[in-house]
Amino acid sequence: MRVLTPQDLLDRAWRDPDSAAGAMRITEFLTAIPAIGDGKRDRILAELGISPVKRIGGLGTRQRAALWRFLDERWPRLEPRHGRSRLMVLAGPTAVGKGTVAARIAAEHPEIHLSVSATTRPPRPGENDGEHYFFVDDAEFDRMVDQGELLEHATVHNAYRYGTPRAPIDTALAEGRTVLLEIDLQGARQVRAAEPTATLVFLLPPSWDELVHRLVGRGTEGEEERARRLRTAKRELAAQGEFDFRVVNDDVARAAEEVVSLAR
Ligand SMILES: Nc1ncnc2c1ncn2[C@@H]1O[C@H](COP(=O)(O)OP(=O)(O)OP(=O)(O)O)[C@@H](O)[C@H]1O
Ligand SMILES: Nc1nc2c(ncn2[C@@H]2O[C@H](COP(=O)(O)O)[C@@H](O)[C@H]2O)c(=O)[nH]1
């Protein structure tokens, strides 16, 4: 039988705050971990900004994320929860804010590996090769597909091709890191088929009007391309039930933390 890890206990507590695990004091939880005595416990609580009177089930989103990050950094090779892999997909309709939320996660959580996709789309102003995307031509994209270098790939919005390079993901997963893919619905379905234990998160706009407002406000597409993207968006929204979790992007920081807490 697998030994219960501290992460398993947190998991139990957060799924059911009224359980014995949820009612456990944070002080009791930490000192139950080998190598953590009273002094170290108090330093950890100060570092994480958690009051010693807190119960595990009563921790806020940020405190949960901080505690989980702390555990993951010190015990990075513990098994993922519920047989789920550390591979996480963030999908959702155009302009919902996937890129913005993913960038926020990468900035706030450097321990999470954000995959950089390859695409045949030309760079937008301010986008850098190797940072936002690997910008490649059709011949290079074909080569990557032929050589099996992509975990998934798709033609998105009936326009350009996009794909997830496999090697950096394998490396990050082998290091025990969580990996986040920001990809479209077709890609999410391919990842689910290839890796059924991946966690699929669908990002939702607060409303359809707000989605259109964000797309227009971004100002990176002409009218024809915007119309094409909104047609795809309707199809994508209809498929949200295929995902494990849905997160509303009403506020970037809040949505980013919610996605991170799902990775925990
Ligand atoms: N919570 C939010 N509130 C208001 N505006 C937001 C929010 N999140 C993102 N935005 C804005 O919405 C626009 C679209 O965001 P972003 O480019 O991240 O979307 P996306 O889902 O990655 O789009 P695409 O799939 O078309 O690449 C940007 O101008 C961004 O600044
Ligand atoms: N299937 C994949 N979809 C991807 C990948 N990288 C990005 N995307 C999705 O493409 C659209 C358009 O992106 P944009 O940068 O041109 O606005 C968006 O939905 C992305 O999520 C990928 O590797 N595979």
Coordinates of all heavy atoms in Angstrom, one line a residue, residues 16 21-22 30 46 58 62 85-86 97 126 159 166 171-172 180-181 217 219 221 237 260:
D16 N -12.9 18.0 1.8 CA -13.9 17.9 2.8 C -13.4 18.7 4.1 O -12.8 18.0 5.0 CB -14.2 16.5 3.1 CG -15.3 16.3 4.1 OD1 -15.9 17.4 4.5 OD2 -15.6 15.2 4.6
A21 N -9.2 15.5 8.7 CA -8.1 16.2 8.1 C -8.3 17.7 8.0 O -7.4 18.5 8.3 CB -7.8 15.6 6.7
G22 N -9.5 18.1 7.6 CA -9.8 19.5 7.5 C -9.8 20.2 8.8 O -9.4 21.4 8.9
L30 N 2.1 20.3 10.4 CA 3.5 20.5 10.0 C 4.4 19.7 10.9 O 5.4 19.0 10.4 CB 3.9 22.0 10.1 CG 3.4 22.9 8.9 CD1 3.7 24.3 9.2 CD2 4.0 22.4 7.6
A46 N 5.6 31.6 9.4 CA 5.9 33.0 9.2 C 6.2 33.2 7.7 O 5.7 34.2 7.1 CB 7.1 33.4 10.1
G58 N -9.5 25.5 6.7 CA -9.9 26.9 6.7 C -8.9 27.8 6.0 O -9.0 29.0 6.1
R62 N -4.7 31.5 -1.5 CA -3.3 31.9 -1.5 C -2.5 31.1 -0.5 O -1.4 30.6 -0.8 CB -3.1 33.4 -1.2 CG -3.4 34.2 -2.5 CD -3.2 35.7 -2.2 NE -3.5 36.4 -3.3 CZ -2.7 36.6 -4.4 NH1 -1.5 36.0 -4.4 NH2 -3.1 37.3 -5.5
S85 N -1.6 12.8 -13.5 CA -0.2 13.2 -13.9 C -0.1 14.7 -13.6 O -1.1 15.4 -13.3 CB 0.1 12.9 -15.3 OG -0.4 13.9 -16.1
R86 N 1.1 15.2 -13.7 CA 1.4 16.6 -13.4 C 1.2 17.4 -14.7 O 1.6 18.6 -14.8 CB 2.8 16.8 -12.9 CG 2.9 16.2 -11.5 CD 4.4 16.4 -11.0 NE 4.5 15.8 -9.7 CZ 4.2 16.4 -8.5 NH1 3.7 17.7 -8.6 NH2 4.3 15.8 -7.4
G97 N -8.4 34.9 -22.3 CA -7.3 35.3 -21.4 C -6.4 34.2 -21.1 O -5.7 34.2 -20.1
G126 N 6.0 42.5 -30.5 CA 6.3 42.2 -29.0 C 6.5 40.7 -28.7 O 7.0 40.4 -27.6
A159 N -6.6 28.3 -39.7 CA -5.6 29.2 -40.2 C -4.2 28.6 -40.1 O -3.8 27.9 -41.0 CB -5.7 30.5 -39.5
R166 N 7.5 17.9 -27.5 CA 7.4 16.9 -26.5 C 8.6 16.9 -25.5 O 8.4 16.7 -24.3 CB 7.4 15.6 -27.3 CG 7.0 14.4 -26.5 CD 7.3 13.1 -27.3 NE 6.4 13.0 -28.5 CZ 5.2 12.4 -28.4 NH1 4.8 11.9 -27.2 NH2 4.4 12.3 -29.4
T171 N 11.1 16.3 -20.0 CA 12.2 16.6 -19.1 C 11.6 17.2 -17.8 O 11.9 16.8 -16.7 CB 13.1 17.7 -19.7 OG1 13.6 17.1 -20.9 CG2 14.3 18.0 -18.8
A172 N 10.7 18.2 -17.9 CA 10.1 18.8 -16.8 C 9.3 17.8 -15.9 O 9.4 17.8 -14.7 CB 9.2 20.0 -17.2
L180 N 2.3 23.1 -17.7 CA 1.0 23.7 -18.1 C 1.1 23.9 -19.6 O 2.0 24.5 -20.1 CB 0.9 25.0 -17.4 CG -0.4 25.8 -17.7 CD1 -1.6 25.0 -17.2 CD2 -0.4 27.2 -17.1
L181 N 0.1 23.4 -20.3 CA 0.0 23.6 -21.8 C -1.2 24.6 -22.0 O -2.3 24.3 -21.6 CB -0.3 22.3 -22.5 CG 0.5 21.1 -22.2 CD1 0.0 19.9 -23.2 CD2 1.9 21.3 -22.4
G217 N -10.7 44.5 -28.1 CA -9.8 45.4 -27.3 C -8.3 45.0 -27.5 O -7.4 45.9 -27.5
G219 N -7.0 44.0 -30.2 CA -6.6 44.7 -31.4 C -5.5 44.0 -32.3 O -4.8 44.7 -33.0
E221 N -6.2 41.3 -34.3 CA -6.8 40.6 -35.5 C -7.7 41.6 -36.2 O -8.3 42.5 -35.6 CB -7.7 39.4 -35.1 CG -6.9 38.2 -34.7 CD -6.4 38.3 -33.2 OE1 -7.0 39.0 -32.4 OE2 -5.4 37.6 -32.9
L237 N -16.9 26.6 -26.6 CA -17.7 26.8 -25.4 C -18.7 25.6 -25.3 O -19.0 25.2 -24.2 CB -18.5 28.1 -25.5 CG -17.7 29.4 -25.1 CD1 -18.3 30.6 -25.6 CD2 -17.4 29.4 -23.6
V260 N -3.9 27.2 -10.4 CA -2.7 26.6 -9.7 C -3.3 25.7 -8.6 O -2.7 24.6 -8.4 CB -1.8 27.7 -9.1 CG1 -0.8 27.1 -8.2 CG2 -1.1 28.5 -10.2

